[in-house]
Amino acid sequence: MALDAFISYLSLEKNYSVHTISAYRKDLESFRAFCNDKFDSVSIDNIEYVVVRNWIVDLVNSGISNRSINRKVASLKAYYKFLQRIGELQANPLAKHKALKTTKKIEVPFSEKEMELVLRQISFNDDFEGIRDKLIIELLYTSGIRRAELINLKTQNVNLVGGTLKVLGKRNKERLVPLLPSTKELFQEYFTERKSLDDIIDDDYVFLTQSGNKVYETLVYRIINGYFSKVSSKVKKSPHILRHTFATHLLNKGADLNSVKELLGHSSLASTQVYTHNSIAELKKAHTSAHPRSKK
């Protein structure tokens, strides 16, 4: 079956994560369900563009954002490209499709003051969960790793002597991330407390729940949102905002863009440059306050 072959291709050749592959499969199955419902068509392997247009209209009418619709259509386009590659399709019905317009997302990082309030003034419980939560916040802020990278971090990849983490990023790309002394201290405290758990099920993984299972996405989100809600009025308080904060604060302090790119695990500078708008704001402020002509 072509869909199964496509999923294998994404996994084995493209090295996509389980989460990304699952999203592709859901998008394609959603389109198949639409075709079966509206057009009595079982196969999606040879569809005219008008059918896709009807699907897009249906998605718009259902209230789904343009950004989400574009992602779903991109999954379908990739599938048809794959069918062309293996000789199952002559022409991609989405070859001339233009993505829907989207508003640019503005992600506001936490300020240095907000980070200080959380890490120095909030009282974390002096138990396993309290120490774990503080380490999660500290690590996301001082290393810039992604939520998925934190969840899947393994104990064997934490080198406290050398002060580094070996992180498995997107497309199974490994990188070394340095640890700050404060983060190393929290790791040591956490590992000591971790040993006191009654039953450890996912022993290979660093971050665990009280029941010994590997932490999961919604838990990490709740931890970040919960603590930062105490000090910040920002609408979005998520693990990704901490990654954004990490990059912004480094750039504000004069870090080289290429170095930040490597720390974040980006494959191109273009991905890193989205974090520079806050740095430009800081530079403008410094320029205005320091330049002799600014007073004239």
Side-chain angles (χ1 to χ4, degrees), residues 30-41 44 47 51:
S30 170
F31 180 60
R32 175 187 284 165
F34 170 81
C35 291
N36 289 340
D37 182 44
K38 303 290 184 181
F39 294 92
D40 295 324
S41 174
I44 64 170
I47 294 289
V51 177

Side-chain angles (χ1 to χ4, degrees), residues 11 49 80 91 108 123 125 143 152 156 175 201 214 260 280 292:
S11 174
Y49 181 64
Y80 289 135
V108 182
S123 180
N125 291 336
S143 69
N152 293 304
Q156 67 185 31
R175 69 184 187 279
I201 298 166
K214 181 174 74 167
V260 176
I280 294 298

